Amino acid sequence: MELEAAIRTRRSQHRLIDPAPSDEEFVDLLGWAATAPDHGHLRPWRWILVRGESRAALGAAFASGAPDAEAVQREARKPLRAPLLATLVLVPQRNHRVPDWEQLAASSAMVNSLMLLLHDRGFGSMWRTGPSVDSTGPRLLLDLAPHERIIGWLYVGTPDPTRRSVPRTPVPVGHRVSLFTPPRPASAGARIAEGITSPVP
């Protein structure tokens, strides 16, 4: 698949079924995704793959912070929406010349590349965040270090063929692009009048 075609046709998939990429295939695609822009080549992230019955344990961790019974059920079901939940953990290198925000940006660039690569292989994915990324349950379950942070789950599998894909249209972004033109230097007379400089003898 050509890159432009991949960008035009990729969608976030709300329902994903088997198969998902194997661990080996995921690592293979990740190796290419990791070539995304990354100041300092820090690779400030790691992935935790959650499959099979382990998804129920993650669902219980999601539900541990739910405010009521209905929310408990809703949160517990979330990991069952895809056969693979790839958990992205930000592992920032602290006190580094590359600031934390750049390390987060590099991780995000890697994820976007990975989603396009998965799409090219025929898989679907959806990036999900929400309150669970900061809640205690998932952090304890996945044994995160104090400085590590979950920045989302990539739900991965095969797109459900019974669900219709909505055609994508380009986003109107012209109003978000401007051309910088440096200000013209003031004439000598105007600069003298403003007291900016003295006349040249």
Side-chain angles (χ1 to χ4, degrees):
M1 185 184 297
E2 295 294 332
L3 175 60
E4 184 174 347
I7 292 173
R8 286 174 177 266
T9 59
R10 191 204 66 80
R11 303 288 186 279
S12 292
Q13 300 291 336
H14 293 267
R15 174 161 171 73
L16 295 155
I17 59 177
D18 282 313
S22 66
D23 294 351
E24 293 76 13
E25 189 169 12
F26 185 91
V27 170
D28 176 57
L29 294 174
L30 181 59
W32 289 107
T35 64
D38 184 344
H39 187 190
H41 302 286
L42 299 181
R43 314 288 184 248
W45 42 262
R46 65 187 180 97
W47 289 90
I48 303 171
L49 304 184
V50 184
R51 302 177 184 271
E53 295 182 359
S54 298
R55 295 174 302 162
L58 183 58
F62 283 3
S64 64
D68 53 58
E70 181 179 349
V72 165
Q73 294 184 0
R74 183 174 62 251
E75 293 296 314
R77 288 194 300 265
K78 284 184 177 180
L80 305 180
R81 295 175 180 172
L84 168 62
L85 270 73
T87 313
L88 178 57
V89 180
L90 181 66
V91 189
Q93 293 199 28
R94 294 168 292 183
N95 303 315
H96 196 278
R97 63 183 178 82
V98 178
D100 285 358
W101 72 264
E102 280 198 67
Q103 297 185 44
L104 177 60
S107 303
S108 300
M110 176 271 300
V111 174
N112 186 63
S113 294
L114 180 57
M115 294 175 77
L116 287 170
L117 288 164
L118 286 164
H119 176 52
D120 184 60
R121 290 277 181 96
F123 297 110
S125 62
M126 184 164 185
W127 188 241
R128 294 185 182 272
T129 55
S132 297
V133 298
D134 293 317
S135 62
T136 302
R139 290 188 60 86
L140 291 175
L141 179 70
L142 299 173
D143 195 26
L144 266 61
H147 72 288
E148 294 182 324
R149 179 184 177 189
I150 297 171
I151 56 175
W153 283 273
L154 196 62
Y155 285 54
V156 186
T158 298
D160 186 343
T162 66
R163 297 178 70 92
R164 179 176 174 273
S165 180
V166 179
R168 186 187 295 278
T169 57
V171 177
V173 294
H175 65 291
R176 295 182 179 273
V177 180
S178 60
L179 177 65
F180 171 72
T181 303
R184 293 183 178 181
S187 66
R191 291 160 61 194
I192 293 170
E194 294 170 4
I196 296 174
T197 186
S198 300
V200 178

